[in-house]
C-alpha cells in the first residue's frame, strides 16, 4: 500500500524498466516472468525479478497472483 501511494503521489521521475519478458499461455491461464530495474530520478532504486499468474475471464485478463524479488542494496 505504501508503494502504491508513493507511485501515485510522487513528483519524482519514476522509470520502471522491464527485460527478459517471457509469456506462456494456453488461452485461459497465463504466466508472465520478467526482470525489472526501478529508477527514481535516474538513479537505480531497486532491481529484481517478477512473475504474474493471470486468468482470462469474461471481461479480459486479470492478475491472480504476483511474486517478486527485490534487491534495494545495489
Amino acid at each position: 500500500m505504501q508503494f502504491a501511494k508513493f507511485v501515485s503521489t510522487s513528483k519524482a521521475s519514476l522509470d520502471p524498466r522491464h527485460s527478459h519478458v517471457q509469456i506462456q499461455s494456453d488461452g485461459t491461464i497465463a504466466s508472465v516472468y520478467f526482470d525489472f530495474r526501478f529508477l527514481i530520478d535516474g538513479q537505480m532504486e531497486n532491481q529484481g525479478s517478477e512473475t504474474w499468474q493471470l486468468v482470462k475471464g469474461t471481461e479480459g485478463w486479470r492478475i491472480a497472483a504476483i511474486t517478486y524479488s527485490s534487491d534495494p542494496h545495489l
Side-chain angles (χ1 to χ4, degrees):
M1 291 297 232
Q2 289 179 346
F3 181 73
K5 183 176 180 180
F6 166 74
V7 168
S8 65
T9 61
S10 179
K11 302 290 187 218
S13 172
L14 307 178
D15 184 11
R17 298 183 182 184
H18 306 94
S19 61
H20 305 110
V21 178
Q22 300 172 37
I23 301 170
Q24 295 185 348
S25 176
D26 70 358
T28 302
I29 62 171
S31 65
V32 179
Y33 174 91
F34 56 89
D35 296 324
F36 71 86
R37 297 174 64 202
F38 192 78
L39 288 76
I40 299 176
D41 290 331
Q43 298 296 313
M44 179 99 78
E45 180 68 20
N46 63 46
Q47 65 182 1
S49 298
E50 193 164 327
T51 183
W52 298 356
Q53 304 304 308
L54 299 101
V55 178
K56 189 173 185 181
T58 57
E59 296 183 19
W61 289 98
R62 300 284 186 223
I63 299 172
I66 296 174
T67 306
Y68 65 93
S69 64
S70 178
D71 184 5
H73 307 289
L74 306 172

